[in-house]
Amino acid sequence: MSMREAVAAFVHDGSTVSLEGFTHLVPTAAGHEIIRQGRRDLTVVRMTADIVVDQMLAAGCVSRLVSSFVGNSSAGSLGELRRRIERADPEPLAFEEYSHYGMVCRYLAGSQRLPFYPLRSYGGSDLPSVNSALRRMTSPYPGPDGGPEQIYVVPPVNPDVTIIHAQRADRRGNTQIWGLTGIQAEAVYAANKAIVVVEEIVGDEVVRSDPNRTLVPSHAVDAVVVCPRGAHPSFAQGYYDRDNDFYRAWSHISKDPERLRAWLAEWVYGTADHAAYVAKQGEEFWAGLAVGEALSEPVNYGRRL
């Protein structure tokens, strides 16, 4: 499908939408299309809520955020998110906060259709005081000292739709990712529907030649969208580098609500689609993010004689 078709088909007002990609392969172009289509009252689930979430907030798409880390990827703050949480400006944001591992466990529970997932890492933390979904229970098995053990559990997350970005897929949706892989596969399996956005479609023989890179198989995918450079300003390993200048600039842009909305007007609403966004940047800009080759060694999978 085109990005416009996929978002129209699977992202609806009031939906719970997971956008995953851990620093690498952030589905930015998908977030921009959600903004263009004017979706409202979304619950966004994203382990590391960053620039794309800030933009969707400013566009009025999001009423609830489920996340762990929030911030501008070590380059500063998210101005719109801070205004909404700290001052309810222009309106409040419901924020459900977990640790990184807590979010991983929610996806694991969701992907396996489990009722909850246990973890020890909330012991001594103050997160349970701000999130009533973090429950403590007695383990049915003895603890390390042989006695009863109190552990925390987190609930599953089952988004209406998960959207991920990846390097490549075949036309059936067998999706290959390399580099920093994050929690994308589990987020897809946890969802009712899944959209995979890729840099390129490749032939079946390419996917079959390197099956271990197929993190998401076709049976879990509902739509494949070809969108080159769709992860900008994050990076796609082997395709283009991270746009560090933009990350640094975003703190200044998002700090000023008028400047942020002017940016949205020019770069999201003012572009028909991501191809127009890419063209507007210009080839010289993209040349500055070009990457050279760093090829992996071929492996011999072997075949029956």
Side-chain angles (χ1 to χ4, degrees):
M1 294 184 177
S2 70
M3 185 76 80
R4 183 179 293 111
E5 291 168 337
V7 169
F10 298 111
V11 182
H12 309 293
D13 290 354
S15 290
T16 296
V17 182
S18 170
L19 299 165
E20 280 305 340
F22 190 75
T23 303
H24 178 223
L25 298 172
V26 176
T28 307
H32 288 177
E33 184 57 30
I34 291 170
I35 292 172
R36 289 189 193 97
Q37 294 194 19
R39 293 295 180 266
R40 292 292 180 267
D41 196 29
L42 300 179
T43 294
V44 168
V45 182
R46 175 156 171 71
M47 194 163 75
T48 53
D50 52 4
I51 287 174
V52 69
V53 172
D54 214 27
Q55 293 167 353
M56 293 172 69
L57 279 169
C61 300
V62 183
S63 60
R64 185 175 191 84
L65 175 64
V66 180
S67 186
S68 48
F69 168 90
V70 294
N72 182 8
S73 300
S74 303
S77 288
L78 302 176
E80 186 72 15
L81 185 145
R82 289 192 63 170
R83 283 187 290 275
R84 290 176 183 251
I85 290 179
E86 294 172 358
R87 304 196 301 272
D89 175 22
E91 59 187 22
L93 171 68
F95 179 39
E96 191 175 335
E97 183 179 6
Y98 296 84
S99 65
H100 268 10
Y101 185 57
M103 286 293 293
V104 169
C105 289
R106 291 202 68 192
Y107 280 125
L108 289 170
S111 64
Q112 298 173 54
R113 300 306 189 264
L114 294 172
F116 57 82
Y117 207 93
L119 67 168
R120 289 195 174 100
S121 57
Y122 287 127
S125 164
D126 62 357
L127 267 178
S129 69
V130 298
N131 186 348
S132 62
L134 305 178
R135 309 286 176 81
R136 196 165 66 166
M137 63 175 288
T138 302
S139 169
Y141 300 103
D145 62 358
E149 181 182 13
Q150 294 292 303
I151 58 170
Y152 278 95
V153 298
V154 293
V157 60
N158 294 111
D160 295 309
V161 59
T162 285
I163 306 175
I164 66 169
H165 196 94
Q167 279 104 332
R168 67 191 186 196
D170 63 22
R171 295 188 66 83
R172 294 181 180 84
N174 292 299
T175 304
Q176 298 196 327
I177 300 175
W178 56 95
L180 188 58
T181 55
I183 198 74
Q184 286 97 313
E186 291 81 1
V188 165
Y189 274 116
N192 295 321
K193 300 291 183 180
I195 301 170
V196 171
V197 185
V198 293
E199 292 293 318
E200 61 176 331
I201 291 286
V202 296
D204 295 355
E205 69 280 1
V206 175
V207 170
R208 290 172 180 167
S209 73
D210 199 359
N212 277 33
R213 294 197 206 279
T214 304
L215 265 64
V216 178
S218 60
H219 68 258
V221 176
D222 295 278
V224 181
V225 174
V226 182
C227 186
R229 297 165 174 167
H232 178 265
S234 72
F235 66 106
Q237 190 77 43
Y239 289 76
Y240 47 90
D241 206 351
R242 188 176 189 265
D243 186 356
N244 291 310
D245 288 343
F246 185 85
Y247 280 96
R248 284 188 287 267
W250 186 253
S251 294
H252 304 288
I253 294 169
S254 66
K255 186 177 182 179
D256 181 345
E258 291 187 8
R259 187 176 176 189
L260 194 164
R261 282 157 181 78
W263 187 92
L264 287 174
E266 179 179 1
W267 289 97
V268 182
Y269 296 116
T271 54
D273 53 25
H274 193 71
Y277 172 95
V278 168
K280 185 177 173 67
Q281 298 279 7
E283 283 305 315
E284 184 177 349
F285 169 83
W286 293 109
L289 297 178
V291 295
E293 285 188 342
L295 299 176
S296 65
E297 288 294 322
V299 298
N300 182 4
Y301 282 97
R303 61 184 301 173
R304 183 170 295 180
L305 296 174

